[in-house]
Amino acid sequence: MMPKTTVTWLGVVLAIFFWASNFNAIQAIHGDISPFMAATLRLAVASLVLLLLRAMRAGPESALTLRDKGALFFIALVGVLIQNFAIFNAMQYTSPVNAAIVAANMPLAGILLSAILLHTHIYRFHILGALISFGGVLLVITQGQFTSQAFNPGDLLMLIALISGCLYTILAKRWVPHVPLSQQLRWMLSLGMLQMSVIVCLIDTPIHAFQAMTTQDAALLVYMGLGGTLVAYYFWLKGARDLGPDRVTSLFNLMPVFTVLISISNGGRIEWTQAAGIVLVGCGVIIGNAYPVIKLKLKQNSQQFA
């Protein structure tokens, strides 16, 4: 039986994979369905499943104070509404690979924001590992051609999604760590879906979107709602709570690697830059996460024998 920590880490990796595959799924949705409408439907699928699971389960839940509800509403606004709006609109202008490279900056942003908001200690190997992984990500995306390129609107929108994702993870740990994970997830996704539903009814035509929806569109939305939202958010929040936001965000460097692997599975070819980038990303993740733990264990062992 695997240790609990190992299972948590594997869950975080699975969440990253689902989010990486979301970029490809978003681009495959029919053009007559607006990005905001697609994002709302994705959240509606996840929220409906969570509400059904709650209805099937007897027993009371933790009582939420007015402060808890306000915190969950704000976290949903930042980490669900803003993030989904930015991601789904970004995919109109940029590629899944470009989106992945921007999202891979989360370790650096997460370490900084976690230190500021949670007062966590920053190991120099956290930074070193993040920089090595980021170097691998750059190699994968640029294919070794390090030339300056202007950001397109999609890249800038992904930057907004990056910041909102960092804040979502950190604020959830700081403001509502006492709320059970399943309850926390249900409230945040449902509140985010309601916020987006209000906006989509004001700026979009939902009836037209349903009329234009194909079977493939429905399947993609269900996939994103269950895997890329429900499962991914659960494992991500669990990892952030049990392992710490500063540690789990380092695994965002795996996102472009998964994007490359998905492309290969669709018939694409792997280049030497992609293979080298995967190696660098793996080394960065190991250095950024394993070394501080090993160092602490060595210190504890030395104290025992002193």
Side-chain angles (χ1 to χ4, degrees), residues 7-8 11-12 14-15 181 230-240:
V7 174
T8 303
V12 174
L14 184 63
L181 188 58
L230 183 60
V231 175
Y233 271 86
Y234 176 83
F235 282 124
W236 181 257
L237 287 173
K238 181 174 177 58

Side-chain angles (χ1 to χ4, degrees), residues 147-178:
T147 57
S148 60
Q149 296 179 349
F151 280 109
N152 62 41
D155 295 327
L156 295 176
L157 284 168
M158 281 304 304
L159 183 60
I160 294 174
L162 160 70
I163 296 172
S164 66
C166 285
L167 289 175
Y168 175 96
T169 304
I170 293 171
L171 293 179
K173 183 175 179 64
R174 179 171 183 175
W175 289 352
V176 288
H178 55 284

